[in-house]
Amino acid sequence: MRSIATTETADEGAHLADSRRGSRPKLLLVVTEEWYFVSHRLAFAVAARAAGYDVGVATRVDRHGAVIRDAGISLFHVDFDRSGMRPLREISTIAALFALYRREAPDIVHHVAMKPVIYGSFAARAAGVPGVVNALGGLGFVFSSTTLRARTMRLLARPALKFALSGWNARLILQNSHDKQTVLRAGLARPEQIRLIRGAGVDPALYSTSDVAAQPPLIILPARLLREKGVGEFVGAARLLRARGVEARFALVGRPDSMNPASFSAKDVAGWVADGLVEAWGWREDMPAVFARAQIVCLPTYHEGLPKSLLEAAASGCAIVATDIPGCRELVSHGKTGLLVPPKEVERLADALEELIRDPAMRARLGGAAREMLGDFTLDCVTAQTMDIYAEVANG
């Protein structure tokens, strides 16, 4: 792993940039966590490398460094802190990004999620990066929550985000039209800067179709164990269906996130398991195999850009139950490719799950239809659309 120097002079940085630049344009992706990069962006980074880019990723490195390097992606550690807003540490992160951009001299930086977008854009502008692509996969806790913490952070995030998105040669990728309208109403970006790309993409060839008719069905919720992912409603629906005498297995595929204030705890999960309501499968590296075992995928989330877990569910031919919100509606058409229910309504969620539990033929029909409509959501399609945006910023 390469360390980040923070003490180089401007002349030294320029000299290093000139000496290291080759014939391949240099692309640097910036994300907070390596596990997210591996699960959501590694396949894209490999595709970008095959398309002719020299690709690197700046992220907080923990356990997946070897996987990233083995894929031919340069790896740079940046100590992002997702859990709080300690001013000195946040300033240090921006300074580290600035030093990295000066030294590596990327032609394009691609920031993913709120903190990399804000901090990375500040650093990119100061370092003179020619092209900036910002991607928000949903507006997240800060813009959706009504808690005092979120409202306070929103007051700080709005002006910072507006400045970050206002670069002369910057593009903003959003995943659904609702988020686009929200950004435009708030005056955070200009219409000509915004591009819609629906999700991170999925390669259907990597996913085997599940045996959707199997009984009793396995219902999985594949996500971090956050309140805003609807984990509480999922557990509540499992409790209600058990009381109704409906036979099914419920599994949480994910783990608590101690750096997120909306996370359930390991103690919460252990209590649900002890009560016989759910199975806890934890973090899984082999998600295609997980989806191949499931008959129903449930995501009762409160807000999304466009969740990759639903793309993976569709690629596996699983029946889907999701909330009727922007992002989920991009993929799930009620009664055609899945079932949609109102957010935060446990009984309505239980009713939809019960309908699919009792009707294997319906599961097969919905799952098959979801797989057939994946054309616009494939990794190849998303990669091509993103490469077009890179070409835009490369040409100024």
Side-chain angles (χ1 to χ4, degrees), residues 200-246:
V202 66
D203 182 356
L206 299 179
Y207 295 82
S208 302
T209 54
S210 66
D211 177 11
V212 292
Q215 293 284 26
L218 169 64
I219 306 167
I220 66 170
L221 191 161
R224 287 177 295 158
L225 303 187
L226 309 179
R227 286 170 176 81
E228 61 198 48
K229 294 294 184 181
V231 173
E233 287 79 4
F234 181 79
V235 175
R239 189 188 307 274
L240 185 55
L241 289 172
R242 185 175 69 172
R244 295 179 184 176
V246 179

Side-chain angles (χ1 to χ4, degrees), residues 111 114-125 132-134 157-172 188-189 193:
H111 307 121
M114 189 70 68
K115 186 169 282 193
V117 163
I118 294 175
Y119 292 7
S121 293
F122 274 74
R125 189 173 299 187
V132 176
V133 177
N134 294 313
R158 282 185 182 275
L161 190 58
K162 184 174 182 177
F163 178 83
L165 299 178
S166 64
W168 71 271
N169 194 27
R171 299 293 185 275
L172 172 62
L188 299 177
Q193 292 180 295

